Amino acid sequence: MQNVITIGRVLVPVEQIAYVEAFEPPADGRFNPDKPYKSRIVLLNRETVLCEATPAEFAEANGFRLLPEDNVATNPGIDFRVESFVPTKDFDPGKPYQTRLIWRGLDGINRFKLLLTKPEMVIAIVLRGETEPGGERKARPPRPAQPRAPRKRPIPRAEA
């Protein structure tokens, strides 16, 4: 992963990026960009930068971890926390969100993003870096146990 990512004319230190999500211009037509932006890069302080790459393309190019169900790529250098999300009567976003992804902003205040992906899958991908759903991180298979030979005690030498 590189230290600085250039997006158009904007240089963004990678440690300030929280996640990358899909971007769709508002349907009201009030925002007509001159470029075909496909993602929004969300910084730790919640400021955003628009990008022409999809979240999957951005993740592949920069070593981020992709949550396919949400089309969100997270920064592996950020300490995230994961909570289950259950709507309340005071806060029901209308989508079947299952997870709250939490990180600390630069100002020390917790920020969060609601996700459709199950909390266990978010932990596997975002926190552990596992690449296959339900699988473990790709690693070498463990070596078979080998019996140990008993230790031989040194025989004391007779001194002459």
Side-chain angles (χ1 to χ4, degrees):
M1 189 164 41
Q2 28 185 352
N3 292 332
V4 176
I5 297 173
T6 304
I7 303 141
R9 289 182 279 170
V10 179
L11 280 81
V12 182
V14 73
E15 64 271 10
Q16 290 187 7
I17 299 173
Y19 65 90
V20 180
E21 65 184 357
F23 172 74
E24 293 182 28
D28 62 11
R30 292 179 21 194
F31 178 69
N32 294 315
D34 55 338
K35 295 182 180 179
Y37 295 116
K38 297 176 186 166
S39 65
R40 174 187 359 250
I41 298 169
V42 180
L43 306 179
L44 292 176
N45 63 4
R46 296 293 272 183
E47 288 183 16
T48 62
V49 178
L50 296 178
C51 180
E52 294 178 60
T54 65
E57 292 167 345
F58 187 92
E60 179 71 28
N62 297 291
F64 279 43
R65 297 173 177 166
L66 184 67
L67 293 165
E69 189 173 347
D70 289 283
N71 198 18
V72 169
T74 61
N75 184 345
I78 301 299
D79 291 325
F80 289 106
R81 290 191 335 251
V82 176
E83 291 181 354
S84 294
F85 175 76
V86 178
T88 64
K89 67 178 184 176
D90 295 330
F91 183 60
D92 186 356
K95 285 188 177 181
Y97 292 115
Q98 299 186 59
T99 304
R100 183 187 319 253
L101 185 65
I102 305 167
W103 70 96
R104 190 170 304 275
L106 297 173
D107 55 4
I109 296 174
N110 284 343
R111 311 285 188 204
F112 70 91
K113 168 120 180 101
L114 294 177
L115 301 168
L116 300 168
T117 306
K118 292 181 180 181
E120 299 80 14
M121 186 63 68
V122 174
I123 289 170
I125 295 172
V126 174
L127 301 184
R128 295 184 180 145
E130 295 174 5
T131 56
E132 295 179 6
E136 293 184 17
R137 194 178 325 184
K138 288 186 177 179
R140 285 186 253 153
R143 290 189 325 193
Q146 301 204 355
R148 289 181 130 184
R151 278 182 136 180
K152 293 183 181 179
R153 293 187 179 195
I155 301 172
R157 293 183 183 209
E159 296 197 22

